[in-house]
């Protein structure tokens, strides 16, 4: 009672009660005077009440004065009221200081102080302090009016969703109030609970399960959907299914939403986006709970999932759950389109395989197509070599289609016109005519690479009338070449053909037993062929009876009949028609085909697992092969570079020899030409300028000699040299071609073409033509030098050349000079000038030869780079396959799980 008065600041009413006519101030004043008259006055209560009156009348200073003089049990409340007054005066720091200074054990007072501090901090935007106050207040007194409501409002306003969620969870568990569970559900729907680990909500879920199961399902479903596609999804599934197991959830309550969530989650988990190691501890629990809570719509699905999982992972599902799963399957009334589901599963696996670059064998696509053709019954004809299977089919079909022995599996169907295909693992190859078909099957034409089988469409009234297709198979002695067990899923019945003369030998029984083990549900019937070889009907009937008795000990429902492909009577065909009619009557063909389709899907999964292993081996082999090829290519590069160096040296040396021969000839020839010019000096010559005329003559004669004799000879030598170089290049090209052929043989394709560039020869021809067509030899000073002998002779000629008596002396002197002069320097000058372009040409020869080899070397280097890139890619793929085998294995495991589940649902 008093706490309420103190909170509302109406303690003064304890003095004014019953006296409503006088003002409370007057009443309290009179009480104050009376109290003062006492020997030991107690004025604190009256002062406290007076402070309240002043506060309500907004005389905050007077109120503060009164409350500061309280010295009894009301002192903490007086301090709180004083802080309230400072709050009203907007003296917030002072108010905060006073609030925080109050020390009391009174929970109500502490709660009120917290509420005031919260308001103060909100006004001052001190959110961290406000948050601490809220948390303290909720922890101290959560049942205090509006405390949790205020806290929730504060957290939402601050968007402190973590604190808001914690408050909702704690209050939901503490108060067991559905309102707080609804608040929590709202937070889940807003998506603000994802920062919490899933098991954080277990307490709230457990409490709600005991209170309201419908509300529990809503909350659990909301959390379930919120964690979907989140990192904590698997942790959530582990947490919720552990909780459901702990709660021992059962079907006394109908769990429509949880049942659907279990179903959708199960399908999502086994779709391939998770690895088995992530789910091995989750799925068994999820499936177990699913069997316990599934509604009528999901019961078949849940039960079959449990049985399929246990079949693949024995011991992982509780026995009680398996019993319940069995009961669900037996009592389920749901419709299940197994054919549609199986076909969809097959297509899904094909898409997955293509993404993983795994080859999907054409055989599977083809067999699926045939299984979906409900208008045709497939009879697989088997037997030993030489028992007349092919002859039997030919006689029934009415066409001589098949030879003997049968080289591959062949499907013979009715068609409007002849149509033939050869099918391999990878491709379908149309065959243009029966002649080509015969050539292929008898070995005249080469078969396609790898194992193949044939599809034959031919107009046949008997096949059309009886809606039949025959699957002819190689004889038992040829099983290694074409395993007919691969085609058993396509067969509606198996017709075993045996020779009536030696019916069902031990080898035939052994072969038949192997086939039956692989297809235990397949109907088996028998034909005693070649009855024409038996001498009378009675003997044939006796053999028929004895053989039938033997057959029926192992195959009690099998039919046995006689046949001869040499008899063309209609009786045999009528018997056959009756047999077909009885063999395919009273059958649910869709159910049978669905079962076989699912078996084929499981076989397909095993095939892909094998292909995955082959792919890994293929990468290993490819890496090793490419590394070896890289060595060979690098060796070829070094070999080609060595060849280039060799040919460059040979060609350059030959050129150098030709050039030096010319140089030597010039060195020998030019001095002789100079000396021969002595014959141009006569006694009557004008010796005054004879040295000038002789110098010009010497230069001219050398020029003429080079033009008329040296250059033509040099030209011929260069042409011979080019012919020599061409032969060297041709030899190089032969070696390059052999190298190309060797590599292409290894690659098994025209991948490397090494062609040298012969255009360099044309460049050399043009250069040879240019260098030897004409020459401009600069004049050199031969007799115009400043040597003593030349100076003396030239001087004498100028002084005495006009005097007849001196001409004989000058003549002899010039002759001696011309015949004995050392012309080495002049000859060297002329030779250097003439040979300059030929020297420059020689320096470019190594570069020119490299042009011939440039493209082959570039091709080899490019192939090295390409091969190294392929090696690196394959190494990465191989490492990924080895490091993460679950990428392949887990997906196929889940696909097999689906197939087994569909079988259970069937």
């Amino acid at each position: 009672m008093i706490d309420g008065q103190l909170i509302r600041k109406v303690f003064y009413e304890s003095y004014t009660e019953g006296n409503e006519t006088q003002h409370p101030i007057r009443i309290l004043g009179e009480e104050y005077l009376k109290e003062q008259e006492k020997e030991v006055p107690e004025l604190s209560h009256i002062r406290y009440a007076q402070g309240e009156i002043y506060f309500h009348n907004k005389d905050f200073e007077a109120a503060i004065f009164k409350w500061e003089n309280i010295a009894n049990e009301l002192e903490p409340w007086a301090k709180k009221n004083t802080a309230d007054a400072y709050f009203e005066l907007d003296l917030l720091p002072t108010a905060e200081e006073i609030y925080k200074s109050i020390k009391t054990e009174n929970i109500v007072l502490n709660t009120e102080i917290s509420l005031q501090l919260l308001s103060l901090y909100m006004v001052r935007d001190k959110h961290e302090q406000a948050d601490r106050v809220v948390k303290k207040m909720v922890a101290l007194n959560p049942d205090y009016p509006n405390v949790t409501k205020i806290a929730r409002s504060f957290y939402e306003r601050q968007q402190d969703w973590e604190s808001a969620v914690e408050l909702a969870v704690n209050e939901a568990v503490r108060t067991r109030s559905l309102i707080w569970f609804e608040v929590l559900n709202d937070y889940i729907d807003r998506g603000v609970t994802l920062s919490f680990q899933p098991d954080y909500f277990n307490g709230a879920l457990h409490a709600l399960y005991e209170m309201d199961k419908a509300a529990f399902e809503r909350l659990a479903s909301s959390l379930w959907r919120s964690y979907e596609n989140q990192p904590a999804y698997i942790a959530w599934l582990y947490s919720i299914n552990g909780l459901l197991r702990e709660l021992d959830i059962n079907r006394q309550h109908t769990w429509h939403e949880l049942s659907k969530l279990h179903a959708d989650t199960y399908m999502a988990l086994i779709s391939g986006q998770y690895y088995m190691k992530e789910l091995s501890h989750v799925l068994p629990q999820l499936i177990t709970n699913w069997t316990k809570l599934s509604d009528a719509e999901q019961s078949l699905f849940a039960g079959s999932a449990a049985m399929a999982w246990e079949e693949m992972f024995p011991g992982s599902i509780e026995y009680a759950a398996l019993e319940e799963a069995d009961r669900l399957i037996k009592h389920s009334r749901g419709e299940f389109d197994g054919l549609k589901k199986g076909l969809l599963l097959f297509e899904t696996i094909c898409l997955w395989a293509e993404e993983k670059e795994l080859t999907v064998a054409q055989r599977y696509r083809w067999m699926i197509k045939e299984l979906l053709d409900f208008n045709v019954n497939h009879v697989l004809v088997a037997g030993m070599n030489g028992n007349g299977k092919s002859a039997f089919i030919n006689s029934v079909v009415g066409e001589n289609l098949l030879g003997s022995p049968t080289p591959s599996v062949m499907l013979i169907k009715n068609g409007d016109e002849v149509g033939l295909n050869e099918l391999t693992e990878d491709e379908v190859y149309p065959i243009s005519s029966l002649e080509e078909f015969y050539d292929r099957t008898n070995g005249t034409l080469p078969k396609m690479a790898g194992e193949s089988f044939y599809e034959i469409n031919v107009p046949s009234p008997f096949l059309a009338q009886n809606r039949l297709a025959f699957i002819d198979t190689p004889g038992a002695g040829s099983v290694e070449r074409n395993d007919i067990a691969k085609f058993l899923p396509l067969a509606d019945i198996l017709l075993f053909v045996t020779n009536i003369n030696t019916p069902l030998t031990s080898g035939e029984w052994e072969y038949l037993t192997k086939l039956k083990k692989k297809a235990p549900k397949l109907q088996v019937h028998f034909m005693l062929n070649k009855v024409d070889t038996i001498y009378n009907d009675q003997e044939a009937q006796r053999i028929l009876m004895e053989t039938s008795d033997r057959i029926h000990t192992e195959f009690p429902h099998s039919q046995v009949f006689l046949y001869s492909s040499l008899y063309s009577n209609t009786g045999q065909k009528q018997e056959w028609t009756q047999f077909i009619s009885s063999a395919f009557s009273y059958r649910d063909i869709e159910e049978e085909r669905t079962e076989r389709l699912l078996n084929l899907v499981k076989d397909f999964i095993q095939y892909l697992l094998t292909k995955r292993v082959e792919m890994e081996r293929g990468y290993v082999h490819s890496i090793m092969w490419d590394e070896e090829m890289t060595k060979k290519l690098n060796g070829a590069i070094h070999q080609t570079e060595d060849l280039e160096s060799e040919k460059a040296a040979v060609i350059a040396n030959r050129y150098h020899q030709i050039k030096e021969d010319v140089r030597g000839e010039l060195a020998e020839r030019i001095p002789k030409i100079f000396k021969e010019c002595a014959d141009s000096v006569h006694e009557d010559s004008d010796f005054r300028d004879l040295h000038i005329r002789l110098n010009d003559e010497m230069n001219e004669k050398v020029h003429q000699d080079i033009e008329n004799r040296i250059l033509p000879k040099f030209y011929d030598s260069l042409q011979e040299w080019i012919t020599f170089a061409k032969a060297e290049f041709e030899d190089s090209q032969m070696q390059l071609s052999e190298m190309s052929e060797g590599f292409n043989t290894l690659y098994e394709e025209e991948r490397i073409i090494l062609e040298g560039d012969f255009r360099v020869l044309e460049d050399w021809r043009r250069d040879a033509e240019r260098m030897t067509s004409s020459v401009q030899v600069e004049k050199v000073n031969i007799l115009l030098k400043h040597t003593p002998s030349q100076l003396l002779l030239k001087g004498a000629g100028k002084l005495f050349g006009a005097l007849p008596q001196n001409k004989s002396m000058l003549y002899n002197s010039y002759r001696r000079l011309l015949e004995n002069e050392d012309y080495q320097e002049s000859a060297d000058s002329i030779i250097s000038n003439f040979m300059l372009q030929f020297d420059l040409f020689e320096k470019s020869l190594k570069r020119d030869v490299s042009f011939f080899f440039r493209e082959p070397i570039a091709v080899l280097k490019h192939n090295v780079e390409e091969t190294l890139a392929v090696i690196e890619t394959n190494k990465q793929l191989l490492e990924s396959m080895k490091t993460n085998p679950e990428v392949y294995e887990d997906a196929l495991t889940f696909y097999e799980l689906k197939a087994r589940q569909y079988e259970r649902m069937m």
Side-chain angles (χ1 to χ4, degrees):
M1 178 68 179
I2 189 171
D3 282 347
Q5 290 179 330
L6 295 174
I7 292 168
R8 290 181 286 113
K9 295 184 178 65
V10 292
F11 175 72
Y12 69 87
E13 289 180 351
S14 60
Y15 291 97
T16 62
E17 188 176 358
N19 190 356
E20 285 79 16
T21 58
Q22 286 186 303
H23 196 280
I25 289 294
R26 185 176 182 82
I27 295 171
L28 291 173
E30 291 175 352
E31 288 292 327
Y32 190 88
L33 292 174
K34 288 180 185 179
E35 188 66 28
Q36 276 188 323
E37 292 174 359
K38 294 180 180 180
E39 184 176 346
V40 183
E42 173 52 65
L43 299 173
S44 291
H45 287 90
I46 299 172
R47 287 189 184 119
Y48 186 89
Q50 288 174 326
E52 289 178 331
I53 300 298
Y54 292 138
F55 185 90
H56 287 306
N57 286 281
K58 300 192 180 301
D59 188 353
F60 300 119
E61 290 183 356
I64 291 168
F65 175 77
K66 289 293 183 179
W67 285 328
E68 285 179 340
N69 292 283
I70 305 300
N72 63 0
E73 75 278 1
L74 294 177
E75 181 181 1
W77 282 98
K79 281 187 175 183
K80 183 262 180 189
N81 289 346
T82 300
D84 290 348
Y86 279 115
F87 198 148
E88 293 295 331
L89 290 169
D90 206 27
L91 297 173
L92 303 182
T94 304
E96 179 185 0
E97 184 178 350
I98 295 171
Y99 284 135
K100 293 169 71 174
S101 70
I102 300 170
K103 308 297 180 184
T104 178
E105 298 296 324
N106 189 316
I107 294 178
V108 174
L109 176 56
N110 277 325
T111 304
E112 285 293 320
I113 291 169
S114 295
L115 288 168
Q116 287 300 100
L117 278 171
L118 175 61
S119 299
L120 182 149
Y121 288 143
M122 292 302 295
V123 170
R124 299 183 68 188
D125 291 329
K126 298 175 75 172
H127 300 299
E128 289 185 12
Q129 292 89 331
D131 182 70
R132 287 196 292 270
V133 167
V134 169
K135 286 182 169 57
K136 177 182 176 183
M137 179 173 64
V138 172
L140 177 68
N141 197 2
D143 289 324
Y144 197 75
N146 293 325
V147 161
T148 52
K149 184 177 180 180
I150 290 169
R152 175 192 169 194
S153 176
F154 170 77
Y155 292 141
E156 290 181 355
R157 216 165 37 247
Q158 298 302 312
Q159 295 191 341
D160 181 2
W161 298 112
E162 186 171 327
S163 297
V165 172
E166 287 178 350
L167 175 68
V169 169
N170 292 336
E171 287 303 295
V173 173
R174 187 182 70 84
T175 65
R176 295 295 201 268
S177 168
L178 288 176
I179 293 174
W180 278 109
F181 284 106
E182 290 172 3
V183 170
L184 177 58
N185 222 331
D186 177 61
Y187 289 157
I188 294 167
D189 292 341
R190 292 190 195 188
V192 298
T193 57
L194 294 174
S195 61
F196 290 86
Q197 287 301 310
D199 57 3
Y200 178 78
F201 302 100
N202 279 5
L205 287 166
H206 200 295
L208 187 55
Y209 181 80
E210 294 174 352
M211 295 166 53
D212 188 324
K213 290 181 173 51
F216 165 81
E217 185 175 29
R218 285 197 301 275
L219 183 64
S221 300
S222 295
L223 281 166
W224 198 311
R225 283 187 289 269
S226 74
Y227 280 113
E228 281 181 342
N229 303 316
Q230 299 296 324
Y233 186 43
I234 299 300
W236 158 256
L237 294 175
Y238 185 75
S239 174
I240 185 60
N241 280 287
L243 178 63
L244 293 175
R245 183 178 181 182
E246 180 185 337
L247 295 173
D248 195 21
I249 198 165
N250 55 56
R251 214 172 274 101
Q252 290 178 358
H253 177 85
T254 303
W255 307 97
H256 290 304
E257 190 64 22
L258 281 177
S259 178
K260 187 174 187 307
L261 280 169
H262 273 78
D264 292 345
T265 301
Y266 170 78
M267 290 305 295
L269 293 181
I270 66 172
S271 65
Q273 57 181 314
Y274 296 97
Y275 295 138
M276 182 60 72
K277 63 185 177 185
E278 298 177 275
L279 304 180
S280 59
H281 66 300
V282 172
L283 269 172
Q285 236 181 23
L286 180 139
I287 294 170
T288 297
N289 288 326
W290 190 15
T291 61
K292 293 179 180 179
L293 59 77
S294 63
D295 56 17
E297 185 179 347
Q298 302 293 340
S299 60
L300 176 61
F301 201 11
S304 60
M307 301 301 282
W309 184 269
E310 178 64 17
E311 187 178 337
M312 289 193 67
F313 306 102
S316 56
I317 304 291
E318 299 172 0
Y319 182 72
L322 293 175
E323 285 188 318
E324 180 64 12
D326 189 52
R327 191 190 68 79
L328 290 175
I329 294 173
K330 287 177 179 178
H331 294 87
S332 172
R333 293 182 175 85
E335 292 291 329
F336 175 67
D337 190 344
L339 189 69
K340 181 178 179 182
K341 289 289 187 182
L343 187 59
L344 179 61
L345 177 58
F346 175 77
E347 293 299 335
T348 301
I349 298 172
C350 286
L351 289 173
W352 174 87
E354 289 169 3
E355 288 175 3
K356 301 301 179 186
E357 297 183 353
L358 292 170
T359 303
V360 177
Q362 285 294 331
R363 170 169 56 90
Y364 289 100
R365 295 188 184 277
W366 177 76
M367 289 176 71
I368 291 287
K369 180 194 72 170
E370 290 296 323
L371 282 172
L372 295 177
D373 187 356
F374 295 157
N375 292 317
V376 175
N377 296 299
H378 299 93
V379 177
L380 188 143
V381 185
M384 307 298 281
N385 279 326
N387 282 353
K389 296 184 287 74
S390 300
F392 156 70
I393 294 173
N394 287 338
S395 68
V396 171
V397 172
E399 290 284 347
N400 192 23
L401 294 170
L402 308 176
S404 182
T406 304
S408 299
V409 171
M410 300 187 186
L411 176 75
I412 302 95
K413 297 173 63 177
N414 177 65
D416 294 335
E417 56 185 26
V418 175
L420 305 114
N421 292 307
E422 182 174 358
L423 295 90
T424 67
E425 289 289 286
D426 303 323
E427 298 290 340
V428 177
Y429 299 97
I431 298 175
S432 59
S433 65
L434 281 170
E435 288 73 18
E436 182 185 347
F437 168 72
Y438 297 141
D439 288 340
R440 285 194 182 280
T441 54
N442 65 23
T444 305
L445 286 177
K447 290 180 62 178
M448 299 302 171
E451 183 180 314
S452 62
F453 58 98
Y454 296 88
E455 180 182 50
I456 306 167
N457 288 274
V458 60
S460 171
F462 182 82
L463 293 180
Q465 179 182 350
N466 293 282
R467 298 165 60 194
L468 277 185
F470 285 114
I471 306 168
D472 190 18
T473 62
S478 307
V479 173
E480 310 78 33
R481 287 196 296 143
N482 205 317
D483 187 0
I484 70 169
K486 295 178 181 178
F487 297 86
L488 288 175
L490 185 55
D492 292 301
I493 63 171
L494 188 153
L495 178 65
F496 195 84
V497 179
T498 182
N499 191 326
I500 192 170
N501 292 288
T502 54
L504 294 175
T505 64
S506 59
E508 288 177 308
W509 272 113
E510 182 182 354
Y511 176 49
L512 186 59
T513 303
K514 288 180 180 179
L515 293 180
K516 190 61 178 172
K517 281 182 179 179
K518 293 179 179 180
K521 293 185 178 182
L522 182 61
Q523 293 184 46
V524 181
H525 300 281
F526 296 83
M527 184 180 75
L528 303 183
N529 199 13
K530 300 188 178 182
V531 70
D532 54 279
T533 61
I534 302 301
Y535 57 87
N536 60 45
D537 290 345
Q538 289 80 8
E539 180 63 12
Q541 289 299 318
R542 183 189 65 78
I543 297 173
L544 174 63
M545 294 297 294
E546 290 178 356
T547 306
S548 297
D549 290 341
R550 288 175 57 201
I551 288 171
H552 290 148
T553 59
E554 296 292 334
F555 302 94
H557 304 294
S558 295
Q559 296 190 45
V560 187
F561 56 92
L562 303 172
Y563 195 85
S564 170
S565 58
L566 297 182
Y567 297 160
S568 59
N569 58 51
T570 59
Q572 287 190 137
K573 288 193 175 181
Q574 287 176 354
E575 185 179 353
W576 242 98
T577 302
Q578 292 171 2
F579 162 72
I580 293 301
S581 177
S582 63
F584 293 110
S585 61
Y586 309 108
R587 298 171 59 230
D588 187 335
I589 188 170
E590 182 172 340
E591 182 177 331
E592 287 184 12
R593 295 279 179 93
T594 301
E595 184 176 350
R596 280 187 274 137
L597 184 146
L598 292 173
N599 281 329
L600 189 61
V601 169
K602 290 193 296 183
D603 181 71
F604 180 44
I605 291 168
Q606 295 305 311
Y607 162 84
L608 290 176
L609 283 170
T610 303
K611 280 293 179 184
R612 184 261 173 203
V613 173
E614 289 177 3
M615 180 185 284
E616 184 173 329
R617 290 174 182 165
Y619 283 136
V620 172
H621 177 270
S622 177
I623 290 167
M624 293 174 62
W625 195 85
D626 283 337
E627 286 176 341
E628 185 62 29
M629 289 304 297
T630 302
K631 293 178 183 177
K632 292 181 184 296
L633 287 166
N634 281 319
I637 291 171
H638 296 317
Q639 182 180 343
T640 306
E641 289 173 343
D642 291 344
L643 182 63
E644 176 188 331
S645 299
E646 175 193 333
K647 295 303 181 183
V650 169
I651 292 170
N653 287 340
R654 175 63 70 92
Y655 175 83
H656 180 76
Q657 186 62 48
I658 292 171
K659 188 192 73 170
E660 290 307 308
D661 287 347
V662 172
R663 188 187 299 275
E665 186 175 354
L666 286 171
E668 180 183 350
R669 181 71 182 153
I670 289 173
K672 288 183 179 179
I673 293 172
F674 289 163
K675 290 180 179 181
E676 288 172 357
C677 288
D679 295 337
S680 299
V681 180
H682 305 285
E683 289 188 3
D684 59 350
S685 297
D686 186 353
F687 292 99
R688 289 175 294 180
D689 60 355
L690 180 60
H691 61 285
I692 296 173
R693 286 183 283 107
L694 282 173
N695 193 78
D696 289 340
E697 183 181 344
M698 287 177 170
N699 276 291
E700 180 61 25
K701 284 189 175 183
V702 167
H703 182 269
Q704 289 298 323
D705 189 70
I706 291 173
E707 279 278 354
N708 299 325
R709 196 174 61 81
I710 298 296
L711 283 181
K713 187 177 179 181
F714 204 170
Y715 174 82
D716 292 340
S717 296
L718 289 178
Q719 293 303 315
E720 291 177 2
W721 169 77
I722 291 172
T723 301
F724 169 79
K726 180 183 179 184
E728 293 297 317
F729 282 156
E730 287 173 344
D731 177 68
S732 299
Q733 182 59 59
M734 184 175 67
Q735 295 185 52
L736 291 172
S737 297
E738 289 175 356
M739 196 181 294
S740 301
E741 185 178 347
F743 278 115
N744 292 332
T745 300
L746 292 172
Y747 282 120
E748 296 182 351
E749 61 173 304
E750 290 295 313
R751 177 168 172 173
I752 291 182
I753 299 175
L754 304 179
E755 293 285 354
D757 189 352
F758 283 90
R759 290 177 298 176
V760 67
L761 294 171
E762 294 302 318
D763 294 339
W764 287 350
R765 286 192 180 93
R766 285 194 294 273
D767 289 339
E769 189 77 34
R770 172 181 55 77
M771 292 187 296
T772 58
S773 59
S774 63
V775 64
Q776 297 295 327
V777 181
E778 294 183 5
K779 286 185 178 182
V780 295
N781 291 328
I782 304 165
L783 297 177
L784 302 179
K785 297 179 181 178
H786 298 293
T787 63
S789 58
Q790 287 191 17
L791 287 172
L792 180 62
L793 190 59
K794 284 184 283 186
K798 289 180 180 179
L799 290 173
F800 307 115
L803 301 175
Q805 62 273 24
N806 294 321
K807 286 191 176 184
S808 178
M809 178 270 295
L810 290 172
Y811 165 76
N812 291 324
S813 297
Y814 263 104
R815 291 279 301 189
R816 283 194 299 274
L817 174 67
L818 292 173
E819 290 172 353
N820 298 313
E821 182 73 7
D822 183 4
Y823 296 107
Q824 186 65 44
E825 183 180 348
S826 298
D828 287 347
S829 176
I830 292 171
I831 293 169
S832 294
N833 178 263
F834 171 71
M835 297 299 293
L836 178 61
Q837 60 181 337
F838 297 101
D839 292 337
L840 292 174
F841 179 78
E842 182 180 15
K843 290 179 180 179
S844 69
L845 283 179
K846 186 175 182 181
R847 182 206 63 189
D848 291 348
V849 172
S850 72
F851 288 159
F852 179 86
F853 292 94
R854 180 169 55 186
E855 182 61 21
I857 291 174
V859 168
L860 291 169
K861 287 183 176 179
H862 175 71
N863 274 273
V864 169
E865 292 171 2
E866 270 192 348
T867 306
L868 289 174
V870 170
I871 290 172
E872 184 59 31
T873 300
N874 286 342
K875 281 184 175 179
Q876 292 175 3
L877 291 170
L878 180 61
E879 181 62 24
S880 176
M881 291 182 78
K882 287 183 174 179
T883 306
N884 303 303
E886 59 271 17
V887 169
Y888 296 88
E889 294 169 3
D890 286 8
L892 291 172
T893 299
F894 287 134
Y895 290 140
E896 183 175 357
L897 181 67
K898 278 187 183 179
R900 290 175 183 267
Q901 183 180 4
Y902 294 161
E903 284 182 328
R904 291 284 182 172
M905 295 175 77
M906 284 293 295

